[in-house]
Amino acid sequence: MTPPEGCVFCRIATGELAARIVHEDERVLAFLDLAPATPGHTLVVPRAHYRDLWDIPDAELAHVAVSARRVAAAIASALGAPGMKLHQVSGAEAGQDVFHFHLHLIPRWKGDGVQPGWGVAPWRPPELDDARCDEIAASIRAELEGR
């Protein structure tokens, strides 16, 4: 599939846009969300453009899932998160607003303020400055390098 012009995740995958990348390989990229639900909230995306859950081939979906599990373990270890929410929506009616398949990894702590409901972005981003975001990304990368 030809990516739509201006797809933000395609632009990150090609290096046109900057992101705090915590993991990458030839098929997948994982980077911190710009509007995180909690510190360490990470997006895992295929490098190739697939619109949603119905568009992504099985092999690519499997690679995203296995990569997500590895990154989630690193996030939990680096940040001491006792829980992890995986969040994925497909289609505008479900709340998808970036039409490039992506999986959210949201570290969870008791009392973190993230609502358990089913809304679009059921969170308010925490106050995190650039230095703290850089520190979080570095700690996740360090965990991944040790695996």
Side-chain angles (χ1 to χ4, degrees):
M1 169 182 229
T2 303
E5 189 174 325
C7 173
V8 67
F9 292 164
C10 287
R11 293 175 68 199
I12 290 170
T14 62
E16 183 182 340
L17 290 178
R20 287 185 174 88
I21 297 170
V22 299
H23 169 73
E24 63 182 311
D25 65 25
E26 68 284 348
R27 293 165 60 190
V28 75
L29 192 62
F31 51 91
L32 296 185
D33 193 305
L34 285 177
T38 61
H41 179 165
T42 299
L43 301 177
V44 183
V45 305
R47 285 185 178 274
H49 184 85
Y50 304 107
R51 180 179 171 83
D52 53 32
L53 183 62
W54 299 284
D55 189 39
I56 188 169
D58 291 350
E60 292 302 306
L61 178 60
H63 190 75
V64 169
V66 170
S67 297
R69 180 175 59 186
R70 184 169 179 252
V71 172
I75 294 167
S77 180
L79 302 179
M84 186 71 57
K85 177 179 180 175
L86 276 64
H87 182 81
Q88 198 286 319
V89 294
S90 287
E93 293 78 3
Q96 186 178 7
D97 58 357
V98 177
F99 292 91
H100 182 123
F101 179 86
H102 57 288
L103 180 62
H104 294 258
L105 304 177
I106 304 171
R108 298 298 309 270
W109 293 267
K110 186 174 184 159
D112 61 19
V114 176
Q115 299 301 312
W118 295 97
V120 176
W123 57 79
R124 275 181 265 154
E127 296 290 328
L128 297 170
D129 63 20
D130 284 344
R132 179 65 179 133
C133 290
D134 290 342
E135 179 184 302
I136 290 168
S139 67
I140 295 166
R141 281 192 300 272
E143 282 295 325
L144 284 162
E145 288 170 5
R147 291 180 185 273

